[in-house]
Amino acid sequence: MSLRYEPAEIEQKWRDRWADADLFKTLEEPGRPKFNGLPFFPYPSGAGLSVGHLRNYIPTDVICRAKRMQGHNVLHAMGWDAFGLPAEMEAINKKRNPRGMVKEYAETYKRQLSYVGVSYDWSREVNSSDPEFYKWTQWIFLLLFEKGLAYQGDYPANWCPKDKTVLANEEVEGGLCWRCGTPVEKKMLKQWFFKITDYAQRLIDDLEAVNWPEGIKTQQRNWIGRSDGSEFYWKIDGSDHSIKVFTTRIDTVYGSTFCVLSPEHPLVEQITTADKRAEVAAYKATASALSDQDRLATTREKTGVFIGAFAVHPFSGENTPVYVADYVLMGYGTGAIMAVPAHDTRDFEFAEKFGIQIRQVIEPADGSIEELPFVSEEGRLINSAEFSGLSCEDAQDQMTQWVEARGTGKGKVNYRLRDWLISRQRYWGAPIPIVHCDKCGVVPVPESQLPVLLPDVESYEPGHNGESPLADIADFVNTTCPSCGGDAKRETDTMGGFACSSWYFLRFCDPHNNEEAFARDKVGYWMPIDCYVGGAEHAVMHLLYARFWTKALHDMGILDFVEPFAVLKNQGMLLAPTPFRNPNENETLRVGEAGIMLSYEEAAQMPKDQVFWRWEKMSKSKGNVVTPEDAAMRYGADAIRIYELFEAPFEQTIQWTEERVQGAVRFLNRVFRLVGDHIPNYNADWRSSNGEITDDERDLRHKLHHTIAKVTDDIAEFSFNTAVASLMELTNEMSDFAKKNKGGSNALDEAIDTLILLLAPLAPHSADELWSKLGKAGFTLNEKWPQADPAMLVRNEVQIVVQVNGKLRGHILVPADMEKLELERAALDCEKVHSALEGKTIRKIIVVPGRIVNIVAN
RNA sequence: GCCGAAGUGGCGGAAUGGCAGACGCGGCGGUCUCAAAAACCGUUGAGGGAGACCUCGUGCGGGUUCGACUCCCGCCUUCGGCACCA
C-alpha cells in the first residue's frame, strides 16, 4: 500500500475525532505523577497569530503530549490576557467595544491554534476580563490591602501623555512609554501601589531554587538591584541640618571633596544660602522641565549649581562644598551623595567641569599609576589617615564600623526596585475594589459584594486631568460606604493588566469555581508549574509580579509554595524575509531604520536592485505575516510542527525558510511510504517472536532502542531539533533495512510501531493516521510511551578508534568486553598504524575501553 | 560602560575532553519521463594526488592534556538586556 502525507485529507479528520472523543480532557487519576505545562497566556490581538507565535505553543504541546503518554496527569490549558491597555487602544482605534472585540479575537486565536493540533483542555479556558475571573483578581487585591501590601500614596508617577495613564517603572523603557514610545512625564498623583519592595530580598534569594535560563535570573537580579553599602550623615556647617548619603564605596570617603543633592531633595530649600537662592531656583526649574529621557541620557554634560552651604567631612572634619545636580536621583538611596571624583566617573566629570579638587585615595594593587578616575575595587587605600594601607574590602568593613561606633551611620542595603504601581486611569481593567468615604476614609469593598463590575459604557476614552473615564459615570461612582452606610464614592482607577497575569495560572487549576478563587487542594496538586514557556521579553515584568503575588499568598497561608514556575523556557523568535528600499533624498529615516519597508506586492513590482531584504519579526505592520492557517493549508500542520522543531534549538531565533518547510514535508512522506510499504508484511503480534534474529535485525533493534532513549531525553530537555534528527536517522535506517529484507520481520514490525509512537507528540495527526492504517484502534496519545530496553543498547562488538599521536589512523572491530592489553595488541596490528609508526619509538599507549586507543610515539 | 548568550561547510545546525560537520536545506551527477515536476540512487569542508591516500580545518593569540569545537587565560566580532542607581 503506497501512502503519502496528505494533510488535507487527514489532519482535520483527526482534529475532529480528538474533539469528539474529548481526548485532551485533563486527567486527574490517582497514582499518576502530575505535569503542568503552560505557555504564557496571550493577549488576543486583532492581528491574529502568525507561525512565529507557534514557536511557543508547539514545543509546549510536544512536551505535554509526551508526558501524557509517559503516564502523567497533564494540565495543558489556554486562556486570554484580555484586560489592559493594548486591547483598549485597539478597541478605541477600531471604534469598538473592547468586550465584544476581545471575545471575537479570542475565538480567532482558538481557531488558529486548533489548526496545528495543539492539545489544550478547552474546558478550562479562562478570560481575564470575564467577571467570573476578575472577581478573584479583586479578591486578591483586597487580601493584599488587608496585609498592608496594597496602599495608596502620592508619588511623582510616570505619566504617558498620549495614553493618558500612569505606568509602572517596569513599563518605562529608556524614559519612553513601552506601548507607544511617547516620552514619559512625571506627574504628582495619588496612586495605588503593591509593596513588592518588602519582598526584594526573597525575590533575589529564591531564584536559586528555580530552573530558569541564567540570563533571565540575572535580569531579575539586576532589576531588583541590591547594593551593599553604608549610610551616614554629613553635618551642614553652621546649621542643625545633616545630609544623609548612601555609598557602596565608603572606602573612598577620604577622596570625597564635595556633596551633591538631587534637585528634588527637601534639604535644598533649607540649606541654600540667601545669595544662591535665585540661581538654585532657576536650576531646579530647568531640571524639572527635563523629561526623564533627557535627564537620564548618559552622554549629557554634567550640570549643577553650588548652593552656598558646606558639609563637614565626617572622617576628616574638613568643609566640603554642597552642590545641587540632576545626575543625582531623588528616587534612589537618600537622594544625596558624597562625591569622590578620583574614583567615580560621574563625580570626576562634574569636578573637572566645576574645578573641584580631585584627591586620589585608592592605589592599584601593583602600585602602577593609573589614569583617574580609578574605579576598581582592586587596590589599597592611600591618603586615608589610619585606614591607609587597607584593602578596599577591609576598609569598607572598618569604616562602616567607625561610623556605627560614633552613631552617625550604619551598614545599609539598598534596592533599585520600587513599589509596583498598579492603578491605571483607564477603562479596560478590573476596577479597584475600594470605596472612599468622607467619614471612614479608604474602605475595602466586602467580599460578598464582589465583583465590582466594570460598567458597560458607550464612551470609554481616557478622561482628563489624570482621571479614569469611570469617574464620569455617576451610577458607578456614587455608592454607599460598606462601613457606615453613608454616601461614598468608588475608586475609579482600574488595575493594570499585569494584575490578571499574576495569578491566572492558579485559576487554571480550578477554573470554574464559583465559591473561591481556587480550591486549595487543586492548586496544591497542580502547582508549581513544571514547565512555563514564553518569550524573554517578560523577563522582568510579568515574571517578577507573579512571583511576588505567589510569595504574598504563601505568607497569608493560601499557597504552600513560594515559587510558581519551577522551570522556565524562553523560545527563540521566528523572522521572516521583509523587503525594504533605500530612501530618496527627500525622505528621512528614523534612527535605526535602514530603509523604507515595502509590501511584497510593491517589492515584486520594483527593479530587483532597488529592493533589499532583511530578516524581521513577523508583524502585521510589516506585512510579512504567515498565519498558521495559511501554512497548514500549504504544507500541513504536522509539517509546520516538524519544521519549527527541527530548524534550530528551541531557544534560538530562526528564519522562516519555505524550502526547509518542504524538507519537513519530505520527511513525513518518507515515514508514510515506509509504513505503507510495510503494511502487507506487518504483523501486529511482533512481541511473540521466536527469538531467532539475524545480524541485520539485531542492528536495527539496537538503533531503535538507542533512538527511544535519545528521543525521550531530548524531548525532556527541549532539544527537539535533535529528537527530530534521530527520528530521521531511524527512518533512513528502517528504509534501508526494508529494502534489504523483503518480507516480514519482527524487528521491523517493532520499529514501525515504535517510530509512530515516538513521532506522535511531534506530528500527532500523522501518527494517528498511520496507527489506524496499521489496523489499530484509538489514539496514539492514549498509548504507552516506548521504553528503551537496556539489553538492546549494549552491543557485543564495538568499533574502536585507533590514533597515533592523536591523529586518526584506523578502526578496529572488537568484542565489547575486550581487555586493555588485547586492545593495545589489536590496535598495533593495524596496517596503517604500522606505517604511521615507522621509524618511531612508542612512548605510551592510552586505552579508553569501548572508545579509543591512542599510541604516543616519536 | 556593565551583565547575559553566541561565533563550526554555500545555508540551518550536530558532537558525556575521544572519528569534526550527525540530521536537514541547497548544489552537482544519474534513474524514471516526449519533457518538466515529484520521487528515488550517488556525491558534496578546503587543498593536493590517477589512485589507495596525504595535508589543513570549529572567530583570533596563548595554555592545560596522550588527545580540545568542548576546559583555563587574554583578545576580536555579533546578538539580546540594563544603564548618571552613587
Side-chain angles (χ1 to χ4, degrees):
Chain A
M1 188 186 312
S2 180
L3 290 183
R4 281 177 62 84
Y5 169 58
E6 307 275 14
E9 274 153 47
I10 65 164
E11 291 185 338
Q12 191 55 51
K13 175 182 79 184
W14 283 104
R15 288 195 291 266
D16 291 344
R17 289 188 189 174
W18 297 336
D20 290 346
D22 207 4
L23 183 63
F24 305 137
K25 179 127 190 90
T26 308
L27 301 177
E28 292 182 288
E29 287 175 10
R32 288 165 161 241
K34 65 95 181 178
F35 184 83
N36 188 347
L38 185 67
F40 291 7
F41 86 149
Y43 149 63
S45 128
L49 288 171
S50 75
V51 288
H53 296 99
L54 303 181
R55 287 221 67 206
N56 173 355
Y57 303 119
I58 292 170
T60 314
D61 186 53
V62 171
I63 195 140
C64 284
R65 283 174 176 268
K67 288 286 175 187
R68 165 95 177 252
M69 293 175 76
Q70 287 160 14
H72 290 66
N73 287 327
V74 171
L75 177 56
H76 190 205
M78 175 50 64
W80 317 110
D81 189 9
F83 265 151
L85 200 51
E88 186 174 341
M89 295 305 281
E90 197 161 341
I92 290 171
N93 287 337
K94 298 197 168 153
K95 301 203 184 331
R96 296 193 53 179
N97 183 296
R99 194 178 307 279
M101 186 195 80
V102 156
K103 263 218 171 81
E104 183 188 309
Y105 290 174
E107 283 307 312
T108 307
Y109 266 47
K110 192 170 170 178
R111 198 176 57 244
Q112 288 184 303
L113 285 168
S114 81
Y115 282 124
V116 284
V118 190
S119 64
Y120 298 121
D121 177 355
W122 286 109
S123 74
R124 292 185 179 240
E125 180 179 357
V126 301
N127 179 325
S128 64
S129 66
D130 190 334
E132 298 272 284
F133 183 96
Y134 71 71
K135 171 181 181 179
W136 304 111
T137 311
Q138 292 173 337
W139 178 76
I140 297 173
F141 179 96
L142 291 173
L143 288 178
L144 294 168
F145 179 77
E146 270 168 43
K147 298 288 170 195
L149 290 170
Y151 66 94
Q152 204 177 14
D154 284 303
Y155 183 76
N158 304 302
W159 174 261
C160 174
K162 181 149 176 277
D163 290 343
K164 296 200 175 100
T165 184
V166 297
L167 302 168
N169 285 319
E170 288 79 7
E171 293 169 324
V172 180
E173 295 173 347
L176 306 177
C177 170
W178 70 316
R179 282 292 167 205
C180 64
T182 309
V184 166
E185 296 167 4
K186 287 285 181 208
K187 205 164 183 169
M188 223 32 188
L189 287 169
K190 199 159 209 188
Q191 295 295 326
W192 283 94
F193 293 89
F194 291 133
K195 216 167 180 187
I196 192 171
T197 51
D198 274 8
Y199 285 78
Q201 191 56 49
R202 285 169 65 190
L203 287 166
I204 294 173
D205 292 342
D206 293 349
L207 286 172
E208 299 295 328
V210 294
N211 179 358
W212 287 19
E214 212 38 58
I216 301 286
K217 288 190 186 186
T218 309
Q219 277 187 59
Q220 291 223 343
R221 285 192 202 102
N222 290 345
W223 186 264
I224 299 166
R226 177 186 166 119
S227 38
D228 290 81
S230 324
E231 208 173 65
F232 51 97
Y233 288 93
W234 293 54
K235 201 182 159 311
I236 299 301
D237 190 35
S239 145
D240 291 338
H241 292 294
S242 289
I243 302 175
K244 183 159 81 169
V245 305
F246 171 76
T247 181
T248 52
R249 293 297 305 275
I250 195 172
D251 53 309
T252 65
V253 70
Y254 277 90
S256 179
T257 51
F258 60 106
C259 287
V260 186
L261 297 175
S262 159
E264 296 85 13
H265 199 291
L267 265 185
V268 175
E269 297 292 337
Q270 297 168 38
I271 62 175
T272 301
T273 54
D275 57 320
K276 297 286 180 188
R277 274 181 195 282
E279 202 183 339
V280 168
Y283 182 76
K284 282 181 64 170
T286 325
S288 70
L290 277 180
S291 72
D292 262 23
Q293 190 195 9
D294 292 333
R295 179 161 170 182
L296 296 179
T298 50
T299 49
R300 222 174 103 235
E301 203 182 321
K302 295 279 174 291
T303 61
V305 175
F306 174 49
I307 69 169
F310 288 87
V312 182
H313 193 292
F315 284 76
S316 71
E318 265 179 90
N319 264 356
T320 60
V322 180
Y323 287 78
V324 59
D326 65 7
Y327 79 93
V328 174
L329 309 172
M330 194 57 222
Y332 183 76
T334 62
I337 61 159
M338 66 169 208
V340 184
H343 305 291
D344 181 280
T345 325
R346 298 149 302 178
D347 298 344
F348 181 84
E349 285 170 22
F350 192 88
E352 288 250 284
K353 182 168 169 190
F354 289 85
I356 307 169
Q357 192 193 354
I358 296 168
R359 189 182 296 162
Q360 185 179 355
V361 291
I362 307 289
E363 189 176 70
D366 61 5
S368 65
I369 296 150
E370 287 277 340
E371 203 179 311
L372 292 180
F374 174 70
V375 298
S376 164
E377 286 185 52
E378 307 281 308
R380 306 213 154 264
L381 273 69
I382 55 170
N383 303 324
S384 298
E386 72 261 37
F387 300 99
S388 294
L390 291 176
S391 70
C392 291
E393 201 184 327
D394 291 346
Q396 283 168 17
D397 289 346
Q398 294 189 24
M399 289 171 144
T400 303
Q401 283 167 25
W402 192 91
V403 292
E404 270 171 15
R406 278 158 189 75
T408 59
K410 57 178 200 258
K412 167 85 180 172
V413 177
N414 257 323
Y415 299 92
R416 293 169 65 178
L417 184 71
R418 317 285 162 77
D419 276 340
W420 167 17
L421 200 173
I422 189 59
S423 46
R424 297 289 180 277
Q425 292 69 51
R426 300 291 309 216
Y427 170 71
W428 192 236
I432 292 177
I434 289 288
V435 167
H436 299 278
C437 170
D438 284 343
K439 264 196 274 174
C440 311
V442 174
V443 182
V445 174
E447 191 184 330
S448 60
Q449 291 177 25
L450 294 182
V452 175
L453 283 174
L454 183 65
D456 268 318
V457 292
E458 291 293 314
S459 165
Y460 47 84
E461 301 228 3
H464 301 284
N465 313 316
E467 271 202 306
S468 155
L470 294 179
D472 293 336
I473 303 168
D475 279 357
F476 177 79
V477 176
N478 297 317
T479 184
T480 52
C481 171
S483 172
C484 69
D487 286 347
K489 293 193 183 306
R490 279 193 195 282
E491 171 65 54
T492 56
D493 283 357
T494 55
M495 286 186 247
F498 282 116
C500 311
S501 55
S502 292
W503 79 282
Y504 75 101
F505 45 88
L506 302 173
R507 187 71 178 169
F508 276 140
C509 303
D510 190 13
H512 306 302
N513 193 328
N514 291 322
E515 305 301 315
E516 44 188 352
F518 41 78
R520 287 198 61 162
D521 60 332
K522 297 212 165 145
V523 163
Y525 178 72
W526 285 113
M527 289 297 291
I529 289 165
D530 300 285
C531 190
Y532 197 37
V533 186
E537 68 276 12
H538 290 93
V540 174
M541 293 187 265
H542 160 56
L543 292 170
L544 195 64
Y545 296 149
R547 294 179 63 220
F548 160 56
W549 275 36
T550 301
K551 286 175 197 303
L553 291 173
H554 169 266
D555 292 353
M556 294 172 204
I558 292 170
L559 299 176
D560 302 325
F561 49 91
V562 292
E563 285 292 333
F565 316 124
V567 176
L568 176 72
K569 301 278 181 187
N570 295 130
Q571 80 275 14
M573 290 187 297
L574 184 147
L575 306 178
T578 310
F580 288 83
R581 71 172 168 79
N582 285 317
N584 342 329
E585 307 86 52
N586 47 16
E587 289 167 332
T588 48
L589 292 177
R590 289 210 332 227
V591 181
E593 273 180 350
I596 290 172
M597 214 161 355
L598 301 169
S599 69
Y600 285 126
E601 292 76 33
E602 288 169 326
Q605 285 165 13
M606 286 181 63
K608 275 215 169 88
D609 58 343
Q610 283 182 34
V611 181
F612 63 97
W613 295 79
R614 270 198 312 183
W615 293 102
E616 295 280 340
K617 210 171 158 175
M618 282 188 185
S619 80
K620 207 174 184 183
S621 65
K622 291 183 187 131
N624 59 0
V625 169
V626 179
T627 64
E629 52 269 43
D630 283 353
M633 194 111 68
R634 238 176 319 155
Y635 301 103
D638 282 348
I640 301 305
R641 293 172 66 109
I642 293 291
Y643 163 72
E644 293 206 10
L645 295 165
F646 177 63
E647 181 66 1
F650 165 77
E651 60 284 353
Q652 207 154 303
T653 296
I654 65 171
Q655 301 171 342
W656 179 254
T657 315
E658 310 232 344
E659 287 102 340
R660 296 207 225 270
V661 186
Q662 274 300 344
V665 173
R666 279 207 284 265
F667 164 61
L668 289 169
N669 261 325
R670 283 199 291 274
V671 175
F672 271 82
R673 194 166 341 111
L674 170 69
V675 175
D677 291 350
H678 183 62
I679 286 174
N681 296 319
Y682 176 71
N683 169 19
D685 196 22
W686 50 265
R687 276 172 221 275
S688 60
S689 85
N690 58 15
E692 290 271 314
I693 68 170
T694 64
D695 285 353
D696 276 0
E697 285 178 323
R698 186 173 297 113
D699 287 347
L700 182 63
R701 284 214 169 127
H702 176 80
K703 179 72 182 177
L704 178 67
H705 285 265
H706 184 78
T707 305
I708 295 171
K710 171 96 175 129
V711 171
T712 307
D713 288 352
D714 282 353
I715 289 178
E717 284 161 26
F718 265 58
S719 184
F720 304 107
N721 58 328
T722 52
V724 175
S726 52
L727 287 175
M728 288 174 168
E729 280 183 59
L730 176 64
T731 306
N732 293 343
E733 196 153 323
M734 285 166 69
S735 300
D736 291 346
F737 179 93
K739 246 171 266 164
K740 270 176 75 184
N741 302 269
K742 305 281 184 203
S745 157
N746 279 316
L748 189 54
D749 297 333
E750 177 187 359
I752 292 275
D753 278 9
T754 309
L755 171 66
I756 293 170
L757 293 178
L758 293 178
L759 193 63
L762 310 159
H765 310 83
S766 302
D768 276 0
E769 175 70 12
L770 293 170
W771 201 243
S772 77
K773 287 282 189 228
L774 290 180
K776 297 175 194 280
F779 304 105
T780 51
L781 194 67
N782 288 330
E783 295 295 322
K784 265 215 178 89
W785 187 251
Q787 293 288 313
D789 179 352
M792 291 293 174
L793 294 176
V794 296
R795 315 204 71 157
N796 33 23
E797 270 199 325
V798 289
Q799 199 183 50
I800 301 283
V801 172
V802 182
Q803 297 182 334
V804 175
N805 290 332
K807 279 188 183 150
L808 175 69
R809 292 300 170 193
H811 298 104
I812 46 176
L813 198 60
V814 299
D817 55 359
M818 192 182 246
E819 295 290 326
K820 274 193 173 194
L821 270 175
E822 284 179 83
L823 266 175
E824 278 186 24
R825 208 168 309 136
L828 289 169
D829 277 348
C830 282
E831 221 174 283
K832 282 213 225 154
V833 171
H834 278 281
S835 51
L837 286 176
E838 199 117 328
K840 289 181 175 156
T841 319
I842 296 174
R843 298 293 169 197
K844 201 173 174 184
I845 301 179
I846 313 283
V847 181
V848 183
R851 276 194 186 279
I852 201 165
V853 177
N854 188 14
I855 300 157
V856 187
N858 60 12

